[in-house]
Amino acid sequence: MRWQGGQRGGGGVEDRRGMGGGAIAGGGIGVTVLALIGYFVFGIDPSTTTQVASQFGGASAAQEGTQGTPEDQAGQFIDIVGGNINQVWATKLDGYTPPANIVLYEQGTSTGCGFGQSAMGPFYCPADRQVFLDLSFWQQMENDLGASGADFARAYVLAHEIGHHVQTLTGASQRVQQAQARASGEAEANQYSVGLELQADCYAGVWAANAAAVSNGEVAVEPGDLEEGMKTASAIGDDALQRRSGGQVNPDGFTHGTSAQRVEALQRGYRSGDPASCEGYTAT
C-alpha cells in the first residue's frame, strides 16, 4: 500500500500514548486472545464500556493528549490514512464531518462511552464521535488471530471504525439500535449487529476504491493489498473466532458476520466504490 507521501494533519490524531491507563487484568497472552475474541465474537458495544472496564479494574479521569501528526511511523500512518479516509467520505456523503479525533492510547483511556481498554480492540464511541486505537492491537491481531500484518490490512480496520462514524452521521446506527430494542430475542438482535458490521466492512472497501482519486495517487491500493485485507476479514469472522476459542460454531451468537460474509462485504465496497452498494446491510 502506498501512503508515505500522503497529506499529514488530516486524520485528527490525539496521541495519549505514554499517559498510562491501566493494564488488562490477569496479564498474559491467553487473556489478550480471549479479550480479542470477546470483542469480535460477542460484539462489545462501546456504550457498555463502563461495565466492561469494571471487569478489568478500569477507571480513569478525563485525559487529553497531544494533537497533530505523531513523529513515529505508526502514528504517521494513522494520521495520513485517517485523513485520506475523511477525504473520501467528504466526496461521498453530503455534509460529512470527520470524527472528532482518532485517539491513540496504551492499555486504557477515558472515553465519552466510559473507560476503554485495549482488550476491546479498536472501537468508535458515538457519544464523543471519536475512534480509539491501541496500536499494539496490530501485533495481537496478526500474531494471535492469524490476520495480515500488511499496511492495507491495518488501514482496513481503521476504515471500518470510521465507517461506524459514517453510520452515526447517516442514522443507520440509531435505526439498528431501535430495531434491536424491538427484537424478539438475542439472536434477532445479533442479526442487526451483523448487518451494521458488514456495512462498515463494505464502507472500508469504498474507501479503498477511492483512496487514490482524492490524493493524486499518494495514498493508493497496490497489487496484492486487497488480498491482505481479505485475509484479515477472514481471520476475524465470527465462525473463525468461535473455532479459535475452542467452542462450536453458533450462528445465533454471530455479531460481526462470518469470514465469508466479511470478505464479500469488503469486496463489494471495493468493486463498486459507491456507498449505495452497502445500504442493504442495515435494512430494518
Side-chain angles (χ1 to χ4, degrees), residues 101-256:
N101 287 303
I102 300 173
V103 179
L104 305 182
Y105 71 98
E106 293 173 331
Q107 299 182 334
T109 193
S110 59
T111 85
C113 297
F115 187 78
Q117 291 227 359
S118 57
M120 299 157 64
F123 65 93
Y124 171 72
C125 172
D128 57 18
R129 299 196 172 187
Q130 297 189 104
V131 173
F132 292 86
L133 173 63
D134 184 331
L135 294 179
S136 68
F137 175 77
W138 303 137
Q139 284 71 42
Q140 294 165 358
M141 191 172 67
E142 180 183 358
N143 297 335
D144 303 332
L145 300 181
S148 170
D151 283 343
F152 178 76
R154 298 176 177 188
Y156 151 60
V157 173
L158 179 60
H160 173 101
E161 295 306 328
I162 295 179
H164 286 313
H165 174 65
V166 174
Q167 290 169 330
T168 296
L169 297 179
T170 64
S173 293
Q174 296 88 324
R175 291 191 296 272
V176 165
Q177 290 173 353
Q178 292 168 0
Q180 288 177 314
R182 299 191 301 267
S184 59
E186 183 177 0
E188 182 183 349
N190 284 345
Q191 290 177 1
Y192 293 119
S193 176
V194 167
L196 204 64
E197 298 297 334
L198 293 178
Q199 185 179 67
D201 282 338
C202 186
Y203 282 165
V206 170
W207 157 70
N210 292 279
V214 301
S215 65
N216 294 319
E218 296 294 344
V219 179
V221 175
E222 298 180 310
D225 282 341
L226 186 63
E227 288 73 17
E228 295 301 316
M230 291 190 294
K231 178 181 177 181
T232 294
S234 179
I236 57 179
D238 285 323
D239 51 343
L241 290 171
Q242 285 184 353
R243 291 190 189 96
R244 183 175 288 273
S245 70
Q248 294 183 337
V249 175
N250 174 24
D252 286 346
F254 291 172
T255 59
H256 284 63

Side-chain angles (χ1 to χ4, degrees), residues 19-99:
M19 296 179 66
I24 298 172
I29 199 67
V31 172
T32 301
V33 173
L34 290 175
L36 288 170
I37 289 174
Y39 168 72
F40 282 117
V41 175
F42 300 111
I44 298 173
D45 184 337
S47 66
T48 66
T49 54
T50 302
Q51 295 95 311
V52 173
S54 68
Q55 297 174 11
F56 290 108
S60 177
Q63 293 176 295
E64 185 175 346
T66 302
Q67 298 279 348
T69 305
E71 292 299 322
D72 63 301
Q73 185 173 9
Q76 291 175 20
F77 174 81
I78 295 299
D79 181 48
I80 291 172
V81 174
N84 181 259
I85 296 168
N86 287 329
Q87 286 181 306
V88 168
W89 280 109
T91 70
K92 297 296 179 181
L93 182 66
D94 289 341
Y96 176 76
T97 55

